[in-house]
Amino acid sequence: MNKLIITCAISGAEVTKEHNPAVPYTIDEMVREARKAKEAGASIIHLHVRTDDGQPTQDKARYKEVIDAIKKEVGDIIIQPSTGGAVGMSKEERIDVVSLHPEMSTLDCGSVNFGGDEVFINSENDITFFAQEIYKHGVYPELECFGKMHIDQVLRLHKKGIIKDPMHFSFVLGVPGGMTASERDFLFLKESIPTNATYSVAGIGRFEFPLAELAIKHGGHVRVGLEDNLYIEKGVLASSNADLVKKVVELAKSYNRDIASVEDTRRILQLGGQS
Ligand code: KMH
Ligand code: ZN
């Protein structure tokens, strides 16, 4: 089977140290978590930044400081800043980071309820705006889909030439208010994307490892991290992002899947190869 790409979502915008003390806020903490995740097997770091007291921010200068520090201290690793930010941020605020020309970024492909009154808004015009800015800056988007209708949205924008090949999807499942993460859901999404596209999965909370296992079994790729899940097993907090990555590496071994290096990941995703 093809090698397994592991993305680690080290920080997120919603989880805090009150949820799990390992959630990184400061630059040193971000570097620590990125380094340990890479050593454990991650080749992509999905990144949200925070102020030192933990507030989510899309401040470009903060992103630059964190990205530069990770590159200096961790070495070669693909950094994928979020253009999702936190619920309620403006699209101008969210997109600013792509002018730093990161190798990848996320592109959120539709709106989704986040529980209670929270709605993560991505209208069709927003997605078009984000896609145009992302490609203009030579960045490779990971297409975040919280359900089947977001895949349909991607395919419509692909037809119009707004979203380009190669397409790499991320199925983010198990968000309260989004699509669940059963095997049936997973297979439905996997079969809904073009055969020449790649995909990764991100299971939220208790869905993280069951969904990872499905992707490993079916030749897909996996994202784990404290952004998505705080626990290494029921009731036991992960002591770092690396714990979660290591658990995926063990699962991959049981399915005879080797782990993709940073260079393997660039090749598999055709990074830098947008048409
Ligand atoms: N924090 C969520 C509102 C992304 O990174 O692109 C959005 C999110 C998706 O996490
Ligand atoms: Zn994110």
Side-chain angles (χ1 to χ4, degrees):
M1 260 217 223
N2 60 344
K3 290 188 179 177
L4 175 72
I5 299 170
I6 303 176
T7 298
C8 190
I10 60 172
S11 46
E14 288 82 20
V15 290
T16 67
K17 286 188 190 294
E18 282 68 50
H19 298 115
N20 183 326
V23 172
Y25 296 165
T26 67
I27 294 173
D28 285 351
E29 289 168 349
M30 295 276 178
V31 168
R32 177 199 72 208
E33 288 302 302
R35 181 193 298 113
K36 285 171 34 176
K38 183 184 174 187
E39 285 166 1
S43 54
I44 302 176
I45 300 296
H46 169 65
L47 188 66
H48 293 251
V49 294
R50 310 288 189 98
T51 58
D52 282 348
D53 64 359
Q55 294 306 309
T57 173
Q58 286 293 104
D59 180 51
K60 190 166 81 175
R62 182 66 167 187
Y63 264 114
K64 185 169 174 3
E65 278 186 298
V66 175
I67 292 170
D68 288 350
I70 292 175
K71 283 191 176 154
K72 181 160 176 268
E73 303 293 333
V74 180
D76 194 24
I77 183 117
I78 297 158
I79 300 181
Q80 179 198 82
S82 170
T83 65
V87 169
M89 288 178 173
S90 71
K91 59 181 196 292
E92 290 76 16
E93 218 177 337
R94 285 168 50 186
I95 196 64
D96 207 17
V97 64
V98 300
S99 62
L100 295 174
H101 304 283
E103 229 173 328
M104 292 182 88
S105 74
T106 54
L107 170 57
D108 292 281
C109 296
S111 301
V112 62
N113 285 346
F114 263 22
D117 285 330
E118 303 253 288
V119 186
F120 180 38
I121 296 174
N122 297 286
S123 71
E124 182 173 13
N125 288 349
D126 293 341
I127 303 163
T128 300
F129 164 78
F130 280 106
Q132 286 168 341
E133 289 296 311
I134 286 169
Y135 290 119
K136 188 175 93 188
H137 290 91
V139 180
Y140 180 113
E142 176 173 278
L143 308 166
E144 311 284 310
C145 293
F146 295 79
K148 165 70 161 56
M149 61 197 181
H150 293 179
I151 294 177
D152 297 332
Q153 177 71 77
V154 169
L155 299 181
R156 280 194 298 275
L157 293 176
H158 181 250
K159 234 185 211 159
K160 290 184 182 172
I162 292 166
I163 290 179
K164 301 171 198 292
D165 287 320
M167 288 195 284
H168 176 60
F169 290 82
S170 173
F171 307 151
V172 186
L173 302 182
V175 173
M179 187 168 174
T180 55
S182 68
E183 181 164 12
R184 188 182 66 156
D185 297 330
F186 164 77
L187 292 172
F188 180 40
L189 298 192
K190 178 178 113 58
E191 284 159 18
S192 300
I193 63 171
T195 50
N196 64 349
T198 52
Y199 72 90
S200 182
V201 299
I204 304 303
R206 68 192 168 84
F207 295 108
E208 182 160 84
F209 293 110
L211 190 60
E213 186 165 2
L214 285 168
I216 291 169
K217 205 159 88 177
H218 287 273
H221 304 285
V222 171
R223 171 176 121 176
V224 290
L226 294 173
E227 172 169 350
D228 300 337
N229 167 43
L230 302 158
Y231 295 92
I232 191 68
E233 59 185 76
K234 194 166 191 252
V236 182
L237 289 174
S239 69
S240 75
N241 279 281
D243 279 7
L244 304 169
V245 175
K246 283 180 195 158
K247 191 160 168 173
V248 171
V249 171
E250 285 309 308
L251 269 173
K253 269 191 201 147
S254 66
Y255 288 94
N256 290 321
R257 283 202 59 193
D258 293 334
I259 306 303
S261 65
V262 174
E263 272 313 312
D264 292 330
T265 299
R266 291 194 175 106
R267 181 179 43 76
I268 295 166
L269 299 185
Q270 302 174 62
L271 282 187
Q274 289 101 322
S275 51

